């Protein structure tokens, strides 16, 4: 069941609000799955005029010069006012860089200038009459007719051949604008009889003629003309798709019309049978388009990935209406392949689609969005479900880094931005690393156990064609993986494993990590209150000014130091000579363990909080719930994960360790560790610890 | 020293004579410009403020009987367009008056002795929407009025009128519009003066740059106020403004109300205007005071319901009320030639007055 747009919107807002409310320690942004077009055609609605315009621009280019950019022709023919057009063409002092104007002037093509000037005159009069301010001047003469008489006369005077069809079109438009509908129909019938049906001006004139029929009440006649010209938008028949497929199924406008309605569920449910029928009856030449339509409906709406797979492979064997549409079908095939778990063509397809994301491609960003959609929305959930973690993480990392691995990164530095290469950013102990810890692949690795991630790292170094392709584009260095494996081991309380991996991580890498830059690792996990950063009265305190926060021991690698100390305490707990020694070690171990999941969370995590899971960019059009469903395995880094259990264990260990102690000296020491100075003062007065307190505390009340 | 004084005196005289001659030229220029305005003559007048122009024999009889010489005809309103497609369409005409063929014939053949003043009501939202582009709005207004007059054969148009409830914050924009309208009229070589309605609160401010004005002496109170006794006309509302009248720098004609309306209030909040309810029907209404009635039960009215307990205030332009105000104004304005205008030509209301009363209201001192 899909969420309603409203519900999606509300849920999205809530999720965004919650994510910022809960997220601390600069966790990653909410992972986002881009939702680019594959089959659908979002953006401004197309109309018949779009097709005619593009064809017309090319005709003007062919009539003038192929060296003139279409944009220059468009500006002059479609956008400029008559006043500007006349200035650019008749006024010597008026200079323009537009190559179309310059061609007209330099070649003395006044017959073209006259035509375009007349057409603009006509268009401006039509626009004036459609203005809400328009009011005719005379009650009895047909104002509309009289308004265009001069234009019609001018156009009739043209006796050349080259622009005959264009002048005839202007007369058609003038007759239509002057409400002379019968005359307009008659004129189109006679004036264009000598031109082939493929002639653009004839087709445009026929649309005006259809408009005349429609206004005169002959809508069926009008519809048939619209259908033959491919103008699906103007057909008034209730079932315009059925209507046009009977008369003009091969109209290129038809498939675009369906694509622009791809988000309409009820509409699309009817479309695969239309496509099936057209293909079956061999009525369409671009069968690739129609198979693609069927595959899209099967996958998106009927959730039959097997059928969709067959249909998309059929599509790829047939002709498409354009290479662009074929490319989209191939990208969509990658999504369907993911759904069926077929890795057969993945490498070939990745190499192909990466070419589409080339920096020289104007649509590069859209293709990057498509790559990310294919991998995030389809491949990762499929591979994760199969516990195929290595390709999942490698593909995810590939998608994460596809924009970055050859690029420069801008980082914020004070008031300015600094531009760095990716290796420079990764090595920096100054700039916030924006790519390696907030990425989805890093989050996915954090879901695994240390053993699983170690296996993944080993596997990704293996030599398979797919891995060999992906490896140069992703991060595989030992520091990055071993530090994470070590951290996972700390989370698992497997301190020997943690030490093994963390001891192989370079100091340089440790210094470059965001958690080191943010000084979270300066918190001493063996202090009972290691992070009194909020004093309840004042605002956030500067860590550097905190007397209770110690600089780390000589080791830079605080995690390694923690792992070693925990092992040391464990050894003493097991092998200590006296109960006091074993008890104190047990207390320290309990405090260290507890803090590593709480105030010193940076030892076992990279951030804490909660972010919205997969906030699709266009949540109004796509099923957000579907993405969330696919990522149920995703790990949220709540600070209070199992908080009650962790605290209960700590309290049990604390009490047990205190119960092991046999001397006042040891009890005083334990209470000192626990910060119970009053207890020491009252119960263990004659111990060295009490003496130390008395001699050290000049402001006794500070110690309560 | 003596020569120096002489020289300075001579120089001063030359400068003064130059200044006088240039002032004279200025005055002459103003007189020439104003020569268009000189054709304004005083005539009994009425406003015509409906969406369809139609004069039947009773209307014509009223016009003849009371020697009405000028009709101020509302042509269209200008309102703000919510989704404009161009700068020109930020403000668009609305509720254009419709003139059918028989009334067109009447205008063309039988009303040639009447002077018509096309009036355009401009909402403040429209004015704000065209701020900085008043010239575009002016061109649209003038061209449309020209075409409407021509299409409908409206005779004897010597003046057009802009009606706008401008305030201090929108004053400059309205004045720019007036200037631009003048410019457009001159550009199209039209023999039109320009006038503007002047509301009482506008009397204390600068006068708009127009040839003449019409002082609106109605809607003097706040009709949404549940405690107002009569928002159409109340001498106590008018009086404070009259001190500005004798020195107001524009020629003013005075417009008096002859309409009535019923105002509906629900829990003392204004709901809207209603019409033609028989408030004397005791099964439906209880009379609370002279002009206030209370609904006894829920009463369906058009597409809404008048709820039990709702109050209706009936406001009229009683002759005595209007005439009191007229007398106050005539006393203060006796030295200024002017015409009186009735707002508006609707016999359903005008029939409540005797011919004598109408003549009194139209008469000046």
């Amino acid at each position: 069941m899909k969420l309603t747009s409203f519900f999606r919107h509300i849920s999205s807002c809530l999720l965004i609000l919650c994510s910022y409310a809960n997220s601390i320690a600069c966790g990653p942004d909410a992972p986002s799955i881009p939702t680019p077009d594959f089959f659908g055609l979002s953006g401004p609605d197309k109309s018949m005029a779009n097709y005619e315009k593009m064809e017309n621009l090319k005709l003007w280019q062919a009539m003038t010069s192929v060296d003139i950019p279409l944009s220059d022709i468009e500006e002059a023919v479609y956008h400029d006012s008559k006043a500007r057009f006349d200035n650019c063409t008749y006024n010597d002092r008026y200079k323009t860089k537009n190559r179309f104007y310059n061609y007209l002037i330099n070649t003395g093509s006044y017959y073209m200038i006259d035509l375009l000037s007349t057409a603009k005159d006509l268009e401006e009069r039509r626009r004036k009459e459609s203005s809400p301010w328009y009011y005719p001047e005379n009650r009895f003469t047909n104002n509309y007719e009289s308004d265009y008489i001069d234009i019609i006369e001018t156009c009739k005077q043209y006796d050349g051949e080259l622009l005959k069809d264009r002048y005839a079109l202007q007369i058609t438009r003038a007759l239509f604008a002057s409400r002379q509908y019968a005359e307009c129909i008659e004129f189109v019938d006679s004036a264009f009889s000598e031109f082939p049906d493929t002639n653009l001006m004839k087709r445009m004139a026929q649309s005006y003629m259809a408009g005349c029929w429609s206004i005169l009440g002959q809508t069926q006649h009008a519809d048939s003309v619209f259908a033959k010209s491919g103008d699906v938008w103007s057909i008034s028949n209730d079932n315009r798709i059925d209507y046009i497929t009977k008369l003009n199924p091969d109209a290129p406008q038809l498939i675009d019309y369906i694509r622009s309605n791809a988000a309409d569920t009820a509409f699309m449910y009817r479309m695969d049978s239309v496509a099936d029928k057209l293909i079956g009856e061999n009525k369409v030449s671009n069968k690739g388009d129609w198979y693609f339509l069927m595959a899209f409906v099967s996958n998106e709406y009927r959730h039959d990935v097997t059928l969709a797979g067959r249909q998309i492979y059929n599509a790829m064997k047939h002709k498409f209406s354009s290479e662009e549409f074929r490319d989209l079908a191939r990208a969509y095939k990658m999504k369907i392949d993911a759904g069926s778990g077929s890795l057969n063509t993945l490498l070939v397809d990745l190499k192909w689609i990466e070419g589409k994301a080339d920096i020289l491609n104007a649509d590069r960003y859209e293709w990057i969005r498509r790559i990310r959609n294919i991998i995030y929305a389809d491949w990762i959930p499929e591979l994760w479900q199969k516990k195929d973690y290595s390709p999942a993480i490698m593909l995810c990392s590939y998608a994460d880094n596809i924009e970055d691995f050859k690029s420069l990164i801008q980082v914020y530095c004070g008031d300015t931005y600094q531009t760095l290469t990716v290796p420079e950013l990764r090595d920096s102990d100054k700039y916030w690393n924006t790519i390696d810890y907030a990425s989805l692949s890093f989050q996915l690795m954090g879901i695994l156990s240390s053993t699983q991630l170690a296996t993944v790292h080993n596997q990704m170094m293996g030599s398979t064609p797919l891995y060999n392709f992906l490896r140069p584009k992703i991060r595989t260095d030992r520091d990055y993986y071993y530090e994470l494996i070590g951290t996972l081991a700390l989370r698992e309380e497997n301190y020997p494993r943690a030490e093994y991996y963390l001891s192989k991580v370079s100091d340089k890498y440790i210094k470059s990590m965001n958690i080191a830059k943010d000084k979270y690792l300066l918190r001493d996990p063996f202090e009972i209150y290691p992070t009194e950063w909020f004093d309840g009265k004042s605002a956030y305190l500067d860590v550097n000014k905190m007397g209770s926060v110690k600089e780390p021991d000589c080791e830079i690698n605080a995690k390694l130091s923690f792992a070693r100390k925990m092992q040391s305490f464990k050894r003493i707990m097991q092998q200590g000579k006296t109960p006091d020694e074993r008890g104190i070690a047990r207390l320290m171990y309990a405090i260290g363990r507890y803090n590593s999941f709480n105030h010193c969370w940076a030892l076992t995590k990279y951030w804490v909080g909660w972010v919205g899971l997969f906030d699709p960019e266009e949540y109004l059009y796509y099923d957000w719930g579907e993405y969330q469903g696919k990522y149920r395995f995703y790990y949220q880094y709540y600070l209070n994960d199992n908080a009650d259990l962790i605290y209960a264990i700590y309290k049990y260990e604390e009490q047990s360790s205190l119960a092991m102690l046999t001397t006042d000296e040891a009890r005083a020491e334990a209470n000192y560790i626990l910060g119970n100075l009053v207890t020491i003062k009252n119960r263990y007065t004659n111990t060295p610890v009490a003496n130390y307190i008395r001699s050290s505390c000049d402001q006794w009340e500070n110690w309560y | 020293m003596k020569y120096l004084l002489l020289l300075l005196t001579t120089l001063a005289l030359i400068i003064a004579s130059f200044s006088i001659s240039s002032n004279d030229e200025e005055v002459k220029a103003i007189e020439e410009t104003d020569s268009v305005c000189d054709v304004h003559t005083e005539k009994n007048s009425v406003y015509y403020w409906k969406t369809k122009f139609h004069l039947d024999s009773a209307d014509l009889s009223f016009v003849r009987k009371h020697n009405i010489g000028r009709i101020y005809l509302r042509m269209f309103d200008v309102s703000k367009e919510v989704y404009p497609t161009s700068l020109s369409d930020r403000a668009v005409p609305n509720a254009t008056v419709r003139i059918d063929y028989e009334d067109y014939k009447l205008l063309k053949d039988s009303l040639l002795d009447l002077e018509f003043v096309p009036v355009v009501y401009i909402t403040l939202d429209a004015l704000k929407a065209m701020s900085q582009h008043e010239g575009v709005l002016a061109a649209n207004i003038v061209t449309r009025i020209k075409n409407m007059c021509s299409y409908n054969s409206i005779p004897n148009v010597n003046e057009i009128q802009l009606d706008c409830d401008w305030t201090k914050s929108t004053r400059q924009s309205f004045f720019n519009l007036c200037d631009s309208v003048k410019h457009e009229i001159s550009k199209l070589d039209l023999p039109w003066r320009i006038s503007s309605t002047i509301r009482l609160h506008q009397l204390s401010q600068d006068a708009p740059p127009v040839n003449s004005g019409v002082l609106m002496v109605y809607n003097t109170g706040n009709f949404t106020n549940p405690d107002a006794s009569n928002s159409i006309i109340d001498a106590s509302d008018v009086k404070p403004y009259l001190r500005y009248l004798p020195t107001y720098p524009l020629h003013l004609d005075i417009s008096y109300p002859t309409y009535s309306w019923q105002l509906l209030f629900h829990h003392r909040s204004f709901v809207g205007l209603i019409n033609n309810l028989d408030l004397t029907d005791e099964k439906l209404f209880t009379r609370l005071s002279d002009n206030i009635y209370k609904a006894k039960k829920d009463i369906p009215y058009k597409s809404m319901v008048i709820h039990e307990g709702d109050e209706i205030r009936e406001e009229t332009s009683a002759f005595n009320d209007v005439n009191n105000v007229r007398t106050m104004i005539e006393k203060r304005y006796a030295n200024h030639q002017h015409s009186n205008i009735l707002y508006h030509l609707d016999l359903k209301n005008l029939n409540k007055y005797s011919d004598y009363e109408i003549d009194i209201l139209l008469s000046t001192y």
Side-chain angles (χ1 to χ4, degrees), chain A residues 337-504:
Chain A
D337 284 348
S340 60
S342 167
L343 282 158
N344 294 343
T345 59
L346 179 59
L347 177 58
V348 179
D349 287 336
L350 278 177
K351 284 179 179 171
W352 164 78
I353 205 167
E354 192 180 295
K356 293 284 167 194
D358 187 87
I359 202 151
L360 296 175
N361 186 348
D363 288 334
R364 171 180 189 246
Y365 189 62
E366 271 310 286
W367 281 101
I368 286 174
R369 295 176 76 227
R370 287 191 185 103
I371 292 170
R372 287 188 170 143
N373 178 281
I374 292 164
I375 291 173
Y376 294 159
D378 298 289
W379 273 109
I380 291 172
E382 177 65 24
L383 292 168
W384 210 266
Q385 202 182 359
K386 291 180 179 169
K387 301 190 188 308
D388 220 349
Y389 302 127
S390 301
I393 287 170
M394 289 181 83
L395 279 171
C396 187
S397 188
Y398 170 74
D400 291 342
N401 289 287
I402 191 154
E403 264 183 292
D404 299 328
F405 68 84
K406 289 178 190 167
S407 314
L408 294 171
I409 306 284
Q410 274 206 325
V411 289
Y412 191 65
C413 172
D415 295 333
T416 56
Y417 282 94
Q418 184 86 19
T419 304
L420 303 173
T421 62
V422 172
E424 281 170 346
L425 178 68
R426 283 179 171 154
D427 286 348
S428 168
D429 58 3
K430 181 178 173 190
Y431 301 115
W432 186 263
N433 183 328
T434 51
I435 54 176
D436 288 328
Y437 305 107
S439 63
L440 181 59
S441 50
F442 191 74
Q443 308 312 311
L444 291 180
M445 289 191 279
I447 297 170
L448 297 174
S449 70
S450 60
T451 316
Q452 285 170 326
L453 185 58
T455 309
V456 164
H457 188 239
N458 280 336
Q459 285 176 349
M460 66 170 55
M461 304 312 272
S463 180
T464 73
L466 179 63
Y467 290 3
N468 291 344
F469 169 77
L470 294 172
R471 210 164 31 239
K473 291 147 190 170
I474 64 174
R475 190 158 187 179
T476 57
D477 56 294
R478 196 172 76 168
D479 279 343
Y480 184 62
Y481 281 86
Y482 277 26
E483 202 281 337
L484 179 53
I485 295 168
T487 303
L488 292 173
L490 289 181
R491 201 187 298 165
E492 295 156 5
E493 300 171 59
N494 188 339
Y495 301 111
R497 176 187 286 274
E499 185 187 2
Y500 173 79
Y501 282 99
L502 292 169
S503 64
K504 297 181 190 312

Side-chain angles (χ1 to χ4, degrees), chain A residues 618-629:
Chain A
E618 289 111 23
Y619 53 84
L620 287 176
Y621 304 105
Y622 288 86
D623 195 335
W624 182 21
E626 184 188 329
Y627 291 135
Q628 288 187 300

Side-chain angles (χ1 to χ4, degrees), chain A residues 128 130-141 143, chain B residues 88 91-93 99 101 104 140 144 146-147 150-152:
Chain A
K128 190 176 140 198
S130 62
S131 158
W133 285 99
Y134 178 74
Y135 200 98
E137 256 190 294
N138 194 303
R139 185 178 279 265
F140 294 104
T141 57
N143 284 275
Chain B
S88 169
V92 291
I99 301 173
Y101 180 70
Y104 155 78
N140 283 336
R144 198 162 198 268
K146 178 177 83 72
N147 289 354
S150 152
Y151 184 89
N152 296 298

Side-chain angles (χ1 to χ4, degrees), chain B residues 122 127 133-139 141 162 164 171-182 194:
Chain B
I122 301 146
L127 189 63
H133 303 287
E134 293 88 357
V136 176
L137 178 60
I141 288 173
L162 302 181
C164 181
R171 180 174 62 195
Q172 193 52 52
S173 189
F174 181 71
F175 288 9
N176 291 346
L177 177 67
C178 294
D179 281 333
S180 304
V181 165
K182 270 187 185 171
I194 171 173

